[in-house]
Amino acid sequence: NPVNDLLSNLAIISIAYDPTNIQTMYFCTGEGYGNIDNVRGLGVFKSTNGGATWTQLASTNNSTFHYCQKVLVNSTGVVFVATSSGGLQRSSNGGTTFTKVLGTGLLITGATSNHCYDVELAADGDIYSSLDGSVHKSTNAGVTFGAAQSIGVTGNRIELACAPND
């Protein structure tokens, strides 16, 4: 059912719910892949009533979150946002604050970009994320990421998928 077409930003790119409380949902905004008429986003929005109402997360009202690619919530309620200019962002407090956990400027071998294309959750809880030309894996709920696995391309969009059972 339509809920609201008068939000402050309708460039909704990705939506996810919190498996620890399915009434809590997030969507991220901004067309980060670029095109002639792409729309800048306003960060991440959150609902605590199953999507009936939405509020912009104040922590995402900045240029890091103008162009988001994907939002994901893991089985413990940790929120991840893949951004076009701020790498992979992680929040363990429902979006009150975010920390960059993947991208340049961090001690991660092979992280040569802040353009995070995708973030995916594996069946075993591991987190996979892609930057320009590389894929990274975390085995500790996205606190840290291992060295890049190069796939032999540079500057290209990498979409990931994890099998739901393996």
Side-chain angles (χ1 to χ4, degrees), residues 5 21 36 50 62 65 70 86 104 106 108-109 115 124 135 140 161:
D5 62 355
N21 178 354
I36 198 163
N62 58 69
F65 293 91
K70 176 127 183 217
T104 56
L106 301 174
I108 300 168
T109 305
H115 196 129
D124 63 1
V135 175
N140 60 5

Side-chain angles (χ1 to χ4, degrees), residues 59-131:
S59 61
T60 67
N61 189 14
N62 58 69
S63 61
T64 296
F65 293 91
H66 283 173
Y67 298 98
C68 299
Q69 313 290 54
K70 176 127 183 217
V71 60
L72 172 95
V73 186
N74 76 1
S75 63
T76 61
V78 176
V79 181
F80 297 89
V81 180
T83 71
S84 287
S85 63
L88 181 64
Q89 300 284 323
R90 179 183 190 272
S91 175
S92 59
N93 56 16
T96 301
T97 59
F98 280 87
T99 302
K100 183 167 112 177
V101 292
L102 184 60
T104 56
L106 301 174
L107 298 176
I108 300 168
T109 305
T112 60
S113 171
N114 272 325
H115 196 129
C116 187
Y117 289 96
D118 198 4
V119 58
E120 295 290 338
L121 177 65
D124 63 1
D126 290 348
I127 303 289
Y128 291 86
S129 189
S130 62
L131 299 172

